[in-house]
Amino acid sequence: MSLLAFFPIFFIFLFNLSLAANTIYNVQNFGAKSNGQTDSSKAFLSAWGAACASTSAATIYVPRGNYLIRNAYFNGQTCKSNAITIRIDGTLLAPSDYNVIGNDENWIKFEKVNGVSIYGGIFDGQGAGLWACKMASGKNCPKGTTALAFFNSNNIVINGVTAQNSQMFHILVDGCHNVKLQGVKVSSPGNSPNTDGIHVQSSSGVSIMNSHIGTGDDCISIGPGNSNLWIEGIACGPGHGISIGSLGWESQEQGVQNVTVKTVTFTGTENGVRVKTWARPSNGFVRNVLFQHIVMTNVQNPIIIDQNYCPNHESCPNQSSGVKISDVTYEDIHGTSATEVAVKLDCSKTNPCIGITLEDVNLSYKDGRAEASCVNAGGRASGFQELTHCL
């Protein structure tokens, strides 16, 4: 056989070898129905069990269609495979009756998984009924459930996923390491309560890139115990902005450090970039944070540090925040404020903010310059005149 004739056969062999090494598990072969009415939870879990038992890379495939999932808990503790890909061409639907899962903490939950990647698909929490219940007075409503949650997991990829209309948080990352979210879309109405887009806590090495988030609460919220977070290329609105916090509810609490938030546009949001701590004693901290290359369009509080957070004046012992904020940089932030005070740094009286840098910050209000207000904050500023007198 000539060498030229050998190459096509060789490549066909390699292709077939790669297919054999990556077994595909179609959820429909396990009984999943794409009619949006038949509960396919068991079929999804069976497909997971098969992929999990694989000694090599495995793919779970969800074809086009609507799949009703009552709830699904994917446990990776006994998995042999550390490379499971979930490719979704369809839509996963939560029950439309909010009482069915309203008291469950999570709708679709992954725990102790390693090397799981989710590509594509729509996760629809169908939360409108619960929102209406919560907004109507005098009704006893369940708390609500998070749509897609990862706990104590490593090396996770979430790419091209749409999460919409969740009862509460859309995506939760808790106790995880090395998580990459890219091309994610989160969509729920601006008046939907407690529907944070992506919430991260007790995690490290999390990146959120090139995503569009519109919701009724924080687009991205960063809880205690996070380090080495990278957030870039985000369009936020509607929503409450990107928030570090709220922090300091517990007296003993892990801090937040090494966070980069860059190339973000905020449109019509309640806040832009925010650090929020309870007015309570705490050993927590926020340090080494960079907010850079940000555009504000009609944002109510473009830049805000609130260390006197105490909604409804409840559960706050009339003390100042113990959370220590240091080395926070705001650089190249432009646009328009919906209120006169565009920069509001309200720091703790017992633990003043230190090392605050405001560089090339230019925000306008109506036809003039916006104002800045700084309390218990130290550092340096450049930009519009009011800033230079603020710190």
Side-chain angles (χ1 to χ4, degrees):
M1 182 185 291
S2 71
L3 190 62
L4 288 174
F6 169 75
F7 273 114
I9 297 171
F10 178 69
F11 283 118
I12 290 170
F13 169 75
L14 284 180
F15 178 72
N16 288 332
L17 191 66
S18 69
L19 283 180
N22 189 342
T23 309
I24 297 175
Y25 300 95
N26 187 324
V27 294
Q28 291 186 352
N29 295 336
F30 293 85
K33 304 298 182 184
S34 60
N35 57 21
Q37 298 176 344
T38 305
D39 183 4
S40 295
S41 304
K42 289 183 179 179
F44 275 69
L45 291 171
S46 296
W48 170 261
C52 189
S54 173
T55 55
S56 58
T59 296
I60 297 171
Y61 177 59
V62 182
R64 292 183 182 275
N66 297 317
Y67 299 85
L68 177 64
I69 306 291
R70 190 218 175 273
N71 60 15
Y73 172 33
F74 301 101
N75 191 327
Q77 202 162 6
T78 59
C79 281
K80 295 178 180 178
S81 177
N82 61 357
I84 298 177
T85 299
I86 303 172
R87 293 196 174 272
I88 305 174
D89 286 338
T91 298
L92 277 54
L93 293 172
S96 56
D97 178 359
Y98 58 79
N99 285 306
V100 175
I101 60 170
N103 288 313
D104 298 346
E105 289 189 3
N106 307 285
W107 171 41
I108 295 176
K109 174 182 178 180
F110 291 82
E111 186 167 21
K112 295 182 179 177
V113 300
N114 184 42
V116 168
S117 302
I118 303 177
Y119 290 92
I122 298 172
F123 293 76
D124 190 341
Q126 300 211 86
L130 181 60
W131 308 334
C133 178
K134 287 182 175 182
M135 290 186 281
S137 59
K139 283 197 174 183
N140 186 18
C141 315
K143 181 181 178 181
T145 183
T146 293
L148 175 61
F150 282 84
F151 292 92
N152 304 315
S153 299
N154 302 320
N155 307 317
I156 305 300
V157 173
I158 302 172
N159 192 309
V161 166
T162 295
Q164 64 189 35
N165 301 325
S166 179
Q167 290 185 1
M168 280 189 62
F169 293 1
H170 285 78
I171 299 173
L172 169 65
V173 176
D174 187 347
C176 297
H177 305 284
N178 189 22
V179 180
K180 297 179 180 178
L181 300 100
Q182 183 155 339
V184 170
K185 182 180 180 183
V186 175
S187 178
S188 63
N191 64 346
S192 55
N194 303 118
T195 53
D196 292 47
I198 300 170
H199 180 75
V200 184
Q201 65 185 41
S202 303
S203 297
S204 64
V206 177
S207 63
I208 305 170
M209 308 275 291
N210 304 323
S211 297
H212 190 289
I213 304 171
T215 184
D217 210 300
D218 294 332
C219 291
I220 299 171
S221 52
I222 299 166
N226 284 306
S227 63
N228 303 324
L229 268 57
W230 190 279
I231 298 167
E232 181 177 3
I234 307 298
C236 171
H240 294 181
I242 294 178
S243 293
I244 296 175
S246 51
L247 304 177
W249 174 257
E250 302 289 347
S251 60
Q252 301 294 316
E253 187 176 272
Q254 291 182 306
V256 173
Q257 61 187 336
N258 304 333
V259 178
T260 297
V261 178
K262 65 185 296 185
T263 318
V264 179
T265 59
F266 295 95
T267 305
T269 52
E270 184 176 292
N271 306 291
V273 291
R274 173 170 62 164
V275 181
K276 179 174 65 170
T277 75
W278 285 87
R280 298 167 62 94
S282 175
N283 68 338
F285 61 83
V286 177
R287 61 187 178 220
N288 298 329
V289 178
L290 173 64
F291 298 109
Q292 184 184 56
H293 308 322
I294 292 172
V295 176
M296 309 281 183
T297 303
N298 199 36
V299 175
Q300 291 182 39
N301 302 293
I303 295 174
I304 180 169
I305 294 177
D306 179 7
Q307 290 209 262
N308 291 293
Y309 180 65
C310 186
N312 304 320
H313 303 287
E314 296 175 0
S315 306
C316 306
N318 293 319
Q319 298 186 45
S320 59
S321 174
V323 177
K324 297 174 176 62
I325 297 176
S326 61
D327 301 319
V328 180
T329 298
Y330 304 87
E331 185 179 288
D332 182 26
I333 299 179
H334 298 80
T336 57
S337 173
T339 59
E340 195 169 1
V341 179
V343 178
K344 184 178 181 181
L345 309 181
D346 186 11
C347 297
S348 169
K349 61 185 178 183
T350 54
N351 296 284
C353 300
I354 59 173
I356 304 295
T357 301
L358 294 152
E359 186 173 328
D360 190 19
V361 174
N362 284 291
L363 296 162
S364 61
Y365 169 67
K366 294 185 176 177
D367 295 327
R369 292 289 190 190
E371 293 186 5
S373 169
C374 303
V375 178
N376 304 318
R380 61 184 183 87
S382 69
F384 58 95
Q385 186 178 3
E386 289 79 359
L387 275 183
T388 58
H389 300 298
C390 195
L391 294 173

